[in-house]
Amino acid sequence: MPPHILILGGTAEARHLAADLAARPGVRVTTSLAGRVTRPGVQAGEVRIGGFGGAEGLADWLRTHDVDALVDATHPFAESITANAARAATAASVPAVVLRRPGWCPAPGDRWYDVASLAAAAEALPGLGRRVFLTTGRLGLAAFAHLTDLHFVVRSVDPPEAPLPPHTEVILARGPFTLAGETELLRAHAVDVLVTKDSGGDATAAKLTAARELGLPVVVVRRPPLPAGVTAVPDVSAVLARLGFDGF
Ligand SMILES: NC(=O)c1ccc[n+]([C@@H]2O[C@H](COP(=O)([O-])OP(=O)(O)OC[C@H]3O[C@@H](n4cnc5c(N)ncnc54)[C@H](OP(=O)(O)O)[C@@H]3O)[C@@H](O)[C@H]2O)c1
């Protein structure tokens, strides 16, 4: 039987890894998606959609589908599935690799305010400006709903879920975004302050450069820690090396 690799996806890196593995003869690759976005991008190999039912459900899935290796390539803020993946891999005795793109680091000229949560970002905002560009995704916006004096421009792939702040404009868009486009957006909406998760990667980093060039402060929600004992590799080639495919 060909080796079966399960990728926990929802990121560009997961798509790139699936494309690489699916192109290799004699490798079976399945990507698992949570089913949160209505139009997920094109995905090579097999795809399954929806939760597993916790760590036990995922461990069962690994056993019943004869998975030989698990790659957790989920988003750095997808904390529950990462914890479940670590437990399930141990329970099912399946080797596991965690792929996490490196976080963003400030460059000279950046005015970044690091916070540990969306709630802490909301607390920091009133001192930083009245017009906020919020790029933390469509979920969790309840943390900002009490900020009735601020104006929010929210950008997300799918429409955000209530409760939202009363003064909210929504822009539906999917990256990658360009520096020219981000600069124009910040100017056109007279943005005073940007809020972002530390997602890392190039696709959504242009807003940080645009904010720096315009002298705007950025509230950066830092990542939750990985589960105890878990370490991550930074890119697809490191995953391939861990899986024993480097040099092929
Ligand atoms: N959080 C973000 O900012 C963000 C941004 C971009 C993309 N994403 C992607 O969106 C998905 C959901 O993110 P989240 O933050 O809601 O995750 P989460 O809070 O860690 O996961 C919540 C539950 O959703 C299910 N789930 C999550 N990812 C899954 C996957 N790849 N395949 C199957 N089930 C999955 C699991 O349900 P069961 O317990 O029932 O298995 C998990 O317990 C992830 O795949 C992530 O890569 C997240």
Side-chain angles (χ1 to χ4, degrees), residues 5-241:
I5 295 161
L6 175 64
I7 302 172
L8 301 175
T11 57
E13 289 81 359
R15 275 198 302 283
H16 296 152
L17 178 63
D20 185 298
L21 290 171
R24 293 169 187 265
V27 176
R28 179 179 171 204
V29 57
T30 304
T31 298
S32 174
L33 301 173
R36 298 274 196 282
V37 294
T38 46
R39 291 175 294 111
V42 176
Q43 191 80 54
E46 299 168 43
V47 177
R48 69 161 298 286
I49 295 182
F52 294 94
E56 294 73 21
L58 176 52
D60 281 346
W61 204 97
L62 295 173
R63 290 188 200 100
T64 53
H65 292 79
D66 295 318
V67 172
D68 296 288
L70 172 66
V71 181
D72 171 2
T74 56
H75 191 271
F77 283 83
E79 205 172 352
S80 304
I81 188 71
T82 289
N84 292 349
R87 284 176 46 207
T90 303
S93 302
V94 168
V97 187
V98 179
L99 167 55
R100 280 289 174 283
R101 66 179 86 131
W104 287 317
C105 296
D110 275 329
R111 294 171 57 202
W112 286 14
Y113 296 81
D114 283 358
V115 295
S117 65
L118 293 177
E123 249 177 69
L125 277 179
L128 293 173
R130 289 199 62 250
R131 296 183 63 85
V132 182
F133 183 33
L134 194 54
T135 63
T136 52
R138 75 191 173 95
L139 302 175
L141 300 187
F144 302 91
H146 63 288
L147 295 173
T148 53
D149 290 344
L150 305 188
H151 181 93
F152 286 87
V153 179
V154 171
R155 181 169 67 194
S156 57
V157 174
D158 282 320
E161 283 179 13
L164 298 173
H167 306 293
T168 297
E169 275 174 82
V170 175
I171 299 174
L172 295 181
R174 185 196 293 266
F177 301 105
T178 63
L179 177 57
E182 297 295 60
T183 305
E184 169 58 23
L185 187 153
L186 292 173
R187 283 211 178 105
H189 291 273
V191 168
D192 299 314
V193 53
L194 164 69
V195 183
T196 180
K197 288 178 176 171
D198 174 22
S199 298
D202 296 334
T204 58
K207 63 189 172 190
L208 302 170
T209 310
R212 181 191 314 136
E213 290 180 358
L214 295 173
L216 300 182
V218 180
V219 179
V220 181
V221 183
R222 288 298 176 187
R223 299 170 172 200
L226 287 169
V230 172
T231 54
V233 300
D235 52 31
V236 168
S237 55
V239 175
L240 293 170

